[in-house]
Short mmCIF file of all heavy atoms in Angstrom, two decimals:
data_model
loop_
_atom_site.label_atom_id
_atom_site.label_comp_id
_atom_site.label_asym_id
_atom_site.label_seq_id
_atom_site.Cartn_x
_atom_site.Cartn_y
_atom_site.Cartn_z
N ILE L 84 -24.56 44.60 -86.25
CA ILE L 84 -23.53 43.95 -85.46
C ILE L 84 -23.54 44.56 -84.07
O ILE L 84 -23.54 45.78 -83.91
CB ILE L 84 -22.09 44.16 -86.12
CG1 ILE L 84 -22.14 43.70 -87.57
CG2 ILE L 84 -21.10 43.45 -85.30
CD1 ILE L 84 -20.88 44.02 -88.31
N THR L 107 -19.44 40.13 -93.16
CA THR L 107 -18.93 41.34 -92.53
C THR L 107 -17.55 41.05 -91.97
O THR L 107 -17.37 39.99 -91.35
CB THR L 107 -19.82 41.84 -91.43
OG1 THR L 107 -21.11 42.15 -91.95
CG2 THR L 107 -19.23 43.09 -90.83
N THR L 108 -16.55 41.87 -92.17
CA THR L 108 -15.20 41.68 -91.71
C THR L 108 -14.96 42.63 -90.59
O THR L 108 -15.21 43.80 -90.72
CB THR L 108 -14.20 41.90 -92.83
OG1 THR L 108 -14.53 41.04 -93.94
CG2 THR L 108 -12.78 41.57 -92.36
N VAL L 109 -14.29 42.10 -89.50
CA VAL L 109 -13.94 42.91 -88.34
C VAL L 109 -12.42 42.85 -88.23
O VAL L 109 -11.82 41.81 -88.40
CB VAL L 109 -14.59 42.47 -87.08
CG1 VAL L 109 -14.28 43.35 -85.92
CG2 VAL L 109 -16.07 42.33 -87.25
N SER L 110 -11.76 44.02 -87.89
CA SER L 110 -10.33 44.00 -87.73
C SER L 110 -9.88 43.02 -86.69
O SER L 110 -10.60 42.80 -85.71
CB SER L 110 -9.83 45.44 -87.39
OG SER L 110 -10.43 45.79 -86.19
N LEU L 133 -19.92 49.98 -78.12
CA LEU L 133 -20.10 50.18 -79.53
C LEU L 133 -20.98 49.15 -80.11
O LEU L 133 -20.77 47.94 -79.89
CB LEU L 133 -18.69 50.18 -80.24
CG LEU L 133 -18.70 50.59 -81.69
CD1 LEU L 133 -19.12 52.07 -81.79
CD2 LEU L 133 -17.29 50.46 -82.23
N TYR L 135 -22.71 48.45 -83.98
CA TYR L 135 -22.84 48.94 -85.33
C TYR L 135 -24.21 48.69 -85.81
O TYR L 135 -24.71 47.59 -85.82
CB TYR L 135 -21.82 48.28 -86.24
CG TYR L 135 -20.41 48.64 -85.90
CD1 TYR L 135 -19.57 47.77 -85.18
CD2 TYR L 135 -19.88 49.83 -86.32
CE1 TYR L 135 -18.32 48.14 -84.89
CE2 TYR L 135 -18.57 50.24 -85.98
CZ TYR L 135 -17.78 49.37 -85.26
OH TYR L 135 -16.49 49.64 -84.93
N ARG L 160 -22.35 63.19 -88.05
CA ARG L 160 -22.09 61.97 -87.27
C ARG L 160 -20.69 61.49 -87.53
O ARG L 160 -20.04 61.82 -88.52
CB ARG L 160 -23.10 60.90 -87.66
CG ARG L 160 -23.15 60.64 -89.13
CD ARG L 160 -24.00 59.40 -89.45
NE ARG L 160 -24.29 59.31 -90.87
CZ ARG L 160 -23.45 58.96 -91.79
NH1 ARG L 160 -22.19 58.68 -91.46
NH2 ARG L 160 -23.82 58.94 -93.03
N ALA L 161 -20.18 60.65 -86.61
CA ALA L 161 -18.87 60.06 -86.76
C ALA L 161 -18.97 58.90 -87.68
O ALA L 161 -19.92 58.13 -87.64
CB ALA L 161 -18.34 59.63 -85.39
N ARG L 162 -17.96 58.73 -88.53
CA ARG L 162 -17.93 57.62 -89.46
C ARG L 162 -16.78 56.69 -89.18
O ARG L 162 -15.76 57.12 -88.62
CB ARG L 162 -17.83 58.10 -90.90
CG ARG L 162 -19.06 58.82 -91.36
CD ARG L 162 -19.00 59.13 -92.84
NE ARG L 162 -20.18 59.81 -93.34
CZ ARG L 162 -21.30 59.12 -93.68
NH1 ARG L 162 -21.32 57.86 -93.66
NH2 ARG L 162 -22.30 59.80 -94.11
N THR L 163 -16.94 55.49 -89.60
CA THR L 163 -15.85 54.51 -89.52
C THR L 163 -15.61 54.03 -90.95
O THR L 163 -16.40 54.18 -91.86
CB THR L 163 -16.25 53.33 -88.66
OG1 THR L 163 -17.35 52.64 -89.26
CG2 THR L 163 -16.59 53.70 -87.28
N PRO L 164 -14.41 53.45 -91.21
CA PRO L 164 -14.17 53.00 -92.58
C PRO L 164 -15.17 52.03 -93.05
O PRO L 164 -15.77 51.23 -92.28
CB PRO L 164 -12.78 52.29 -92.42
CG PRO L 164 -12.17 52.88 -91.24
CD PRO L 164 -13.30 53.20 -90.30
N ARG L 165 -15.51 52.09 -94.39
CA ARG L 165 -16.50 51.23 -94.93
C ARG L 165 -16.04 49.79 -94.90
O ARG L 165 -14.86 49.50 -95.00
CB ARG L 165 -16.82 51.62 -96.36
CG ARG L 165 -17.50 53.00 -96.45
CD ARG L 165 -17.70 53.35 -97.91
NE ARG L 165 -18.39 54.63 -98.03
CZ ARG L 165 -19.71 54.76 -98.05
NH1 ARG L 165 -20.47 53.70 -98.00
NH2 ARG L 165 -20.29 55.95 -98.21
N CYS L 166 -16.93 48.88 -94.71
CA CYS L 166 -16.64 47.44 -94.67
C CYS L 166 -17.43 46.78 -95.69
O CYS L 166 -18.69 46.78 -95.63
CB CYS L 166 -16.93 46.89 -93.28
SG CYS L 166 -16.58 45.17 -93.13
N CYS L 167 -16.83 46.15 -96.70
CA CYS L 167 -17.53 45.53 -97.82
C CYS L 167 -18.45 46.52 -98.48
O CYS L 167 -19.60 46.17 -98.89
CB CYS L 167 -18.31 44.33 -97.35
SG CYS L 167 -17.22 43.06 -96.68
N GLY L 168 -18.12 47.74 -98.50
CA GLY L 168 -18.96 48.79 -99.16
C GLY L 168 -20.16 49.18 -98.38
O GLY L 168 -21.02 49.88 -98.88
N ILE L 169 -20.22 48.77 -97.13
CA ILE L 169 -21.41 49.12 -96.27
C ILE L 169 -20.95 50.07 -95.23
O ILE L 169 -19.99 49.85 -94.52
CB ILE L 169 -21.95 47.82 -95.64
CG1 ILE L 169 -22.35 46.82 -96.72
CG2 ILE L 169 -23.14 48.16 -94.76
CD1 ILE L 169 -22.75 45.49 -96.19
N GLU L 170 -21.73 51.15 -95.08
CA GLU L 170 -21.39 52.17 -94.09
C GLU L 170 -21.80 51.74 -92.69
O GLU L 170 -22.83 51.16 -92.49
CB GLU L 170 -22.12 53.49 -94.42
CG GLU L 170 -21.80 54.62 -93.56
CD GLU L 170 -22.65 55.85 -93.83
OE1 GLU L 170 -23.82 55.81 -93.45
OE2 GLU L 170 -22.17 56.75 -94.51
N ALA L 171 -20.88 51.97 -91.72
CA ALA L 171 -21.19 51.60 -90.35
C ALA L 171 -21.11 52.86 -89.46
O ALA L 171 -20.32 53.73 -89.71
CB ALA L 171 -20.17 50.61 -89.84
N GLU L 172 -21.99 52.91 -88.45
CA GLU L 172 -21.96 54.04 -87.53
C GLU L 172 -22.35 53.59 -86.16
O GLU L 172 -23.01 52.56 -85.99
CB GLU L 172 -22.85 55.17 -87.99
CG GLU L 172 -24.34 54.77 -88.11
CD GLU L 172 -25.21 55.92 -88.53
OE1 GLU L 172 -25.40 56.81 -87.77
OE2 GLU L 172 -25.65 55.89 -89.67
N THR L 173 -21.99 54.33 -85.09
CA THR L 173 -22.35 53.90 -83.76
C THR L 173 -23.80 54.16 -83.54
O THR L 173 -24.44 55.03 -84.16
CB THR L 173 -21.53 54.72 -82.69
OG1 THR L 173 -21.82 56.06 -82.87
CG2 THR L 173 -20.06 54.53 -82.89
#
Side-chain angles (χ1 to χ4, degrees):
I84 304 171
T107 300
T108 303
V109 184
S110 62
L133 190 62
Y135 293 102
R160 53 172 166 75
R162 291 188 180 275
T163 62
R165 293 175 178 272
C166 179
C167 300
I169 301 171
E170 181 186 79
E172 62 179 287
T173 62

